[in-house]
Amino acid sequence: MASAPRLFLPNKIGRLLLLSLEEIVGHNGLNAVLNVAGVAQHISSLPPNTLDRQFAFDDLGHIHQALDRLYGVRAGRGLALRTGRAAFPHALREFGPMIGLTELPFRLLPLHMKLKAGLEGAAGILNRLTDQTVHLEESPDAYRLHLDVCPLCWERRLDQPGCHLAVGFFQEGLAWMSGGKNFLVEETECIARGDQACVLRIVRQPLD
Ligand SMILES: [Zn+2]
């Protein structure tokens, strides 16, 4: 069987994810993770802050996996969630203006419209700038964000959904949009577990 073509994220996203990971595990921790992930080329220089698609899905999948290998599955999950949360402010600064998230009209929308606009904006960015395909499905109680290919679990095999970084990222994004409320975000399906897509379920009603 011919091997599938490699897929890529823009350098800018790889860079902000590595900076976020460094905030959580420290400089030495980041270097250890990159070594274990087999992507030591990222140690000496972070990806440049450009939109060129040169940060490989397999590199990110191996980095996410290295958290589990280095710190154990439970602690690795916590670190990935926290890295995702830490990534949101970076992403907001880099991409928020592109989709109007930081403009006054967005801030004045009612909460339910903000959430929808924010999630659609995030899906649009991923579809336009990465090799991912993403779509948002709505039901009365929840949103479902479908990621048809997913760099976080690329080439991984898991018993449970494992794209914790994405869960943390959206938890933080929803908290920001709602002025600090907590929302239930869970990955209900995961390609690494054999599902068709990675699916993040976001319950519309905040927990608090
Ligand atoms: Zn997944």
Side-chain angles (χ1 to χ4, degrees):
M1 202 174 84
S3 60
R6 285 182 91 192
L7 299 179
F8 293 91
L9 299 161
N11 286 324
K12 189 184 275 289
I13 291 182
R15 179 186 181 87
L16 74 85
L17 290 177
L18 294 185
L19 287 169
S20 307
L21 182 56
E22 185 172 23
E23 285 171 26
I24 301 305
V25 300
H27 185 66
N28 293 337
L30 174 66
N31 288 349
V33 169
L34 296 177
N35 264 318
V36 167
V39 294
Q41 74 273 21
H42 295 306
I43 289 181
S44 46
S45 63
L46 284 173
N49 199 15
T50 68
L51 291 175
D52 302 311
R53 293 189 197 187
Q54 294 172 328
F55 196 87
F57 276 30
D58 40 301
D59 284 1
L60 186 53
H62 294 152
I63 289 168
H64 207 302
Q65 183 172 43
L67 287 172
D68 287 358
R69 286 174 60 194
L70 259 176
Y71 299 97
V73 171
R74 272 188 59 182
R77 173 176 180 273
L79 294 170
L81 281 168
R82 289 171 58 200
T83 299
R85 289 186 197 128
F88 179 75
H90 292 284
L92 182 64
R93 195 170 53 243
E94 296 290 343
F95 299 109
M98 269 184 216
I99 53 174
L101 276 196
T102 47
E103 308 292 325
L104 189 60
F106 177 81
R107 283 188 272 143
L108 296 177
L109 289 175
L111 179 58
H112 71 282
M113 290 177 69
K114 261 191 203 175
L115 297 186
K116 182 174 173 174
L119 291 169
E120 282 178 340
I125 291 272
L126 292 171
N127 283 328
R128 261 204 323 280
L129 301 182
T130 78
D131 288 341
Q132 270 177 291
T133 46
V134 178
H135 72 273
L136 189 66
E137 178 196 358
E138 289 185 61
S139 64
D141 67 318
Y143 293 101
R144 281 184 181 74
L145 194 65
H146 294 251
L147 303 106
D148 293 338
V149 285
C150 174
L152 295 171
C153 64
W154 194 254
E155 294 183 336
R156 299 176 69 196
R157 287 289 167 269
L158 300 166
D159 297 331
Q160 299 289 328
C163 300
H164 310 305
L165 197 152
V167 171
F169 179 86
F170 282 98
Q171 283 175 338
E172 188 65 23
L174 293 156
W176 178 81
M177 285 191 267
S178 64
K181 294 184 189 300
N182 291 300
F183 289 80
L184 180 65
V185 181
E186 54 181 0
E187 192 186 23
T188 55
E189 293 166 50
C190 184
I191 297 164
R193 197 183 61 174
D195 296 315
Q196 285 291 316
C198 291
V199 178
L200 295 177
R201 176 172 176 266
I202 297 153
V203 175
R204 288 171 185 262
Q205 194 65 33
L207 294 166
D208 40 19

